[in-house]
Amino acid sequence: MQVCYGPLFGQGSDSTSFPNNVTFRQENWVPLEEPSTATEMFDVILCLSVTKWVHLNWGDHGIRSMFHKMYRSIRPGGKLILECQHWNGYARRKKLTPAIYKNYSEIHIRPEEFPHYLMTIGFEDWQTLGVPYHSQKGFRRPIWLFTKPLSPHVIASSLPKAGLVVAMEHPSCLPKQP
């Protein structure tokens, strides 16, 4: 199910210029199999407070799949803005379900390794935009910006077969696992 919010200020006379060309979408991107149709392309993907829940629910395979789908879904020259929860925050949620506990115990790719992994799948550049202040230390997380190259190049690794969950921050938002 897709939820779409936008454009920001309603239907303007010029829907191709900022801010009328900005929309926000929330979707469940965790397909059971790879889609057979072309992936929709975006200029920017904003992913905040999502990675921990993808990782806990679908393990390393889920996080790799999410990153591959993001890469495929960003236009050349486009951006990924990513905020990842700290590894110690995973431990506080590992006992929510037996499946989450199993996935937690099998995780090998830690959040601090995400930038390196994203570079290996094709992003050409990344930088830390900043670490926003929050009264709770656990919410002081770096915001990373990744850039997709303008010219396509071949990625040696094969693409995984799962997708991603978008805009989920609380376990009650998660889909039920079989």
Side-chain angles (χ1 to χ4, degrees):
M1 179 163 103
Q2 173 181 307
V3 179
C4 186
Y5 302 97
L8 287 179
F9 298 106
Q11 302 299 328
S13 58
D14 182 8
S15 62
T16 61
S17 63
F18 183 79
N20 296 321
N21 63 344
V22 176
T23 59
F24 292 91
R25 291 173 44 175
Q26 169 187 326
E27 298 181 46
N28 182 345
W29 279 6
V30 185
L32 297 176
E33 56 190 52
E34 199 63 27
S36 59
T37 59
T39 303
E40 187 173 2
M41 301 297 284
F42 301 95
D43 296 313
V44 177
I45 294 179
L46 177 67
C47 182
L48 307 175
S49 299
V50 173
T51 56
K52 174 173 75 174
W53 299 111
V54 171
H55 222 171
L56 288 175
N57 279 275
W58 289 278
D60 283 343
H61 179 74
I63 204 75
R64 284 192 303 265
S65 297
M66 177 180 78
F67 290 150
H68 278 276
K69 183 164 182 180
M70 287 177 170
Y71 182 82
R72 288 191 315 268
S73 299
I74 296 173
R75 286 187 177 92
K79 310 290 185 189
L80 167 62
I81 302 171
L82 183 66
E83 177 222 30
C84 302
Q85 294 93 325
H86 300 292
W87 176 248
N88 59 3
Y90 284 50
R92 289 191 290 273
R93 300 294 184 196
K94 69 183 179 185
K95 295 182 181 178
L96 285 174
T97 68
I100 285 176
Y101 189 80
K102 179 182 181 296
N103 288 335
Y104 173 82
S105 65
E106 296 173 355
I107 289 174
H108 296 288
I109 303 171
R110 300 282 179 96
E112 62 271 13
E113 299 166 7
F114 291 169
H116 173 74
Y117 183 77
L118 286 161
M119 298 299 285
T120 67
I121 64 172
F123 286 97
E124 68 179 354
D125 185 35
W126 76 277
Q127 62 183 304
T128 300
L129 295 177
V131 180
Y133 177 79
H134 193 280
S135 60
Q136 295 180 15
K137 187 177 176 184
F139 286 98
R140 296 178 198 161
R141 307 174 188 143
I143 308 288
W144 293 324
L145 175 69
F146 297 86
T147 303
K148 185 173 182 176
L150 287 171
S151 60
H153 57 283
V154 177
I155 305 301
S157 63
S158 62
L159 298 177
K161 293 191 175 188
L164 71 134
V165 177
V166 177
M168 293 184 183
E169 188 169 330
H170 191 271
S172 64
C173 300
L174 294 171
K176 301 250 187 280
Q177 290 205 344

